Amino acid sequence: MGNVLVFGASGQLGQCLRHVAAERGNDDLVFLPEAEANILDTDAVKAAFAHYQPTYCINCAAYTAVDKAEDEVEIARKVNRDGAANLAQACTEYGATLIHISTDFVFAGTCNQPLSETDEAAPISVYGLTKLEGEQAVAEHTSQYFTLRTGWLYSEYANNFVKTMLRLGRERDELRVIWDQVGTPTYAIDLAGCILTIIETQNQQYGLYHYSNEGVTSWYDFATAIFELSNTHVRTVPIRTAEYPTKATRPAFSVMDKTKAKTNLGVYIPHWRESLKACLGRL
């Protein structure tokens, strides 16, 4: 298979890749330390590719502070667009395949049908816009790529909604949670498994894919399920997005159709409650 370079290895998905690779006995992944893995440093990127001669590159590095991005447009754009372009160019130069992670935030969230890869992307936040620009940069600079759009990522690693809810549930008697934003949670362990399946099967059906867990839920119902399955006793109160104003606008509906991923990538995608149970069992 050859070396697989992982950029952004210290983040949530990078840590999940490390976990799943160890479970599968896959020792081809090279988790680059941050000092070697600045995707904005073209010399560092080229040096890593020259040294490791990878057959695959996984880009887990991203600017993901959704609200801060509204004020930090240029740095968000540098990381999410220019960094992705740097990796795509290096992949072309070294004949490697790029696996790039994108987001459901590329959609406006105004429709009520599951979104396919061919539906129009019309981001309503700086974060979503810069991630869409990253997708476009990848497609412009390499033909050997898999761009995986995902959303609502959580796991036992790093900071995420599940861990935040568990902490707040221990501290408070009541929590107010938004109910009018609808999507699908994604267990980052499952996403890591999908990425490794692409590599291990040497899949060449390149292009854009959607990947989240199966099913549909709101943040309110997701929080309620977290408390129910973890036996945490806290009252949840549904509120509208307007009652919890944020700097960036979020898509109201970002449920993604995963038919293409299931057909072309040969992956089984669990229901979000099934995966949530698995995660809570590890916390």
Side-chain angles (χ1 to χ4, degrees), residues 53-64:
Q53 298 286 317
T55 51
Y56 289 88
C57 168
I58 306 172
N59 182 23
C60 301
Y63 183 108
T64 58

Side-chain angles (χ1 to χ4, degrees), residues 226-259:
I226 292 166
F227 298 135
E228 173 198 330
L229 295 172
S230 65
N231 200 29
T232 302
H233 301 288
V234 58
R235 181 168 176 259
T236 50
V237 179
I239 62 170
R240 290 186 176 272
T241 298
E243 297 175 72
Y244 188 78
T246 55
K247 191 96 175 180
T249 306
R250 270 84 169 158
F253 183 93
S254 61
V255 178
M256 296 187 293
D257 187 318
K258 278 84 65 174
T259 302

Side-chain angles (χ1 to χ4, degrees), residues 62-72 76 80 126-127 248 250:
Y63 183 108
T64 58
V66 176
D67 291 315
K68 279 180 70 178
E70 296 296 311
D71 295 319
E72 298 183 353
N80 291 340
V126 168
Y127 169 66
R250 270 84 169 158

Side-chain angles (χ1 to χ4, degrees), residues 66-86:
V66 176
D67 291 315
K68 279 180 70 178
E70 296 296 311
D71 295 319
E72 298 183 353
V73 180
E74 286 314 306
I75 183 60
R77 177 164 282 128
K78 278 188 170 68
V79 176
N80 291 340
R81 181 193 67 188
D82 300 347
N86 289 340

Side-chain angles (χ1 to χ4, degrees), residues 80-82 84-86 88-89 131-142:
N80 291 340
R81 181 193 67 188
D82 300 347
N86 289 340
Q89 287 171 324
K131 289 298 288 180
L132 178 60
E133 290 171 347
E135 291 183 8
Q136 294 164 341
V138 166
E140 179 184 344
H141 291 292
T142 182

Side-chain angles (χ1 to χ4, degrees), residues 191-255:
L191 177 58
C194 174
I195 291 168
L196 287 174
T197 295
I198 291 171
I199 293 168
E200 289 163 359
T201 59
Q202 299 183 32
N203 195 306
Q204 294 185 358
Q205 297 192 66
Y206 305 123
L208 177 63
Y209 289 89
H210 287 172
Y211 188 95
S212 67
N213 282 121
E214 295 283 28
V216 178
T217 194
S218 69
W219 288 110
Y220 166 77
D221 291 301
F222 187 27
T224 302
I226 292 166
F227 298 135
E228 173 198 330
L229 295 172
S230 65
N231 200 29
T232 302
H233 301 288
V234 58
R235 181 168 176 259
T236 50
V237 179
I239 62 170
R240 290 186 176 272
T241 298
E243 297 175 72
Y244 188 78
T246 55
K247 191 96 175 180
T249 306
R250 270 84 169 158
F253 183 93
S254 61
V255 178

